[in-house]
Amino acid sequence: TEKIQSYEVDLTLNAENTVDVIETITYDSGSTPDRHGIFRHVPIQFSDGVHPLKLTSITDETGAAYPYSDESDAQNAVWEIGDPDNTSTGVHIYIMRYSFEAPVGLFSEKMDRFAWNAIGTEWDVPIEASVVTLHLPETVKIQDVSEQRCFVGMAGLGIGDGCATSVDTEKNVLLYGLY
């Protein structure tokens, strides 16, 4: 059975409102005979407009580049990752590096807001475990973060069981996990 064994997203929110992202997906394609790789859909359309992504690389854990094609549309950056001429079975690690202008908005007169769908809703296989790490810029201290939320499950259903949040004040990061 196909599944994502682990999904790690490392986000660095920079002072100039850009975000650097490293996604590490450990994907088990099982013994599916016709699997060529994965599709990754990343939303780029938000209520305040389009936030295009700048893809830096897609590699395996050794740094070897994966072949991919860009199938993006007006709503999502879409990467078809893998070799269309070769099938693959078993476990593969996909590491995607990209950046974008942050959809940071004024939530109220007293608070800014950063919201990001780190994993997306386009997966058709189960995700066994995930963790999202958000590194804040030096100009924002953990103590100044008034609220953090973690949402899991299908889009629009809200907070689900198994979602946890924590802070690391020493490293100035917020952690979100699905276990």
Side-chain angles (χ1 to χ4, degrees), residues 120-134:
T121 59
E122 300 293 327
W123 293 105
D124 58 358
V125 297
I127 300 171
E128 291 185 332
S130 65
V131 64
V132 176
T133 304
L134 175 60

Side-chain angles (χ1 to χ4, degrees), residues 23-27 29 35-38 58-61 66 81-82 88 91-96:
E23 292 188 16
T24 303
I25 300 171
T26 304
Y27 194 98
S29 56
R35 174 60 70 186
H36 294 268
I38 64 171
I58 302 176
T59 66
D60 66 13
E61 69 277 14
Y66 274 111
I81 306 165
S88 62
V91 177
H92 298 273
I93 297 175
Y94 300 89
I95 302 171
M96 289 153 276

Side-chain angles (χ1 to χ4, degrees), residues 45-72:
Q45 176 69 48
F46 297 91
S47 59
D48 67 338
V50 174
H51 294 264
L53 303 181
K54 179 183 175 198
L55 179 63
T56 305
S57 65
I58 302 176
T59 66
D60 66 13
E61 69 277 14
T62 70
Y66 274 111
Y68 72 92
S69 62
D70 189 331
E71 306 294 330
S72 298

Side-chain angles (χ1 to χ4, degrees), residues 24-156:
T24 303
I25 300 171
T26 304
Y27 194 98
D28 185 353
S29 56
S31 58
T32 306
D34 59 347
R35 174 60 70 186
H36 294 268
I38 64 171
F39 283 89
R40 176 62 177 112
H41 300 252
V42 182
I44 59 172
Q45 176 69 48
F46 297 91
S47 59
D48 67 338
V50 174
H51 294 264
L53 303 181
K54 179 183 175 198
L55 179 63
T56 305
S57 65
I58 302 176
T59 66
D60 66 13
E61 69 277 14
T62 70
Y66 274 111
Y68 72 92
S69 62
D70 189 331
E71 306 294 330
S72 298
D73 58 37
Q75 302 292 318
N76 296 287
V78 180
W79 305 309
E80 184 177 354
I81 306 165
D83 187 340
D85 297 324
N86 294 303
T87 58
S88 62
T89 58
V91 177
H92 298 273
I93 297 175
Y94 300 89
I95 302 171
M96 289 153 276
R97 290 178 171 82
Y98 57 92
S99 59
F100 62 95
E101 183 180 319
V104 175
L106 188 63
F107 189 67
S108 71
E109 288 185 18
K110 298 180 182 179
M111 180 176 21
D112 288 332
R113 174 183 174 204
F114 171 70
W116 183 249
N117 186 342
I119 302 226
T121 59
E122 300 293 327
W123 293 105
D124 58 358
V125 297
I127 300 171
E128 291 185 332
S130 65
V131 64
V132 176
T133 304
L134 175 60
H135 301 267
L136 298 174
E138 290 182 14
T139 56
V140 178
K141 298 298 176 202
I142 287 286
Q143 297 82 355
D144 297 332
V145 176
S146 62
E147 184 176 346
Q148 61 173 323
R149 293 185 186 175
C150 177
F151 298 89
V152 298
M154 295 177 64

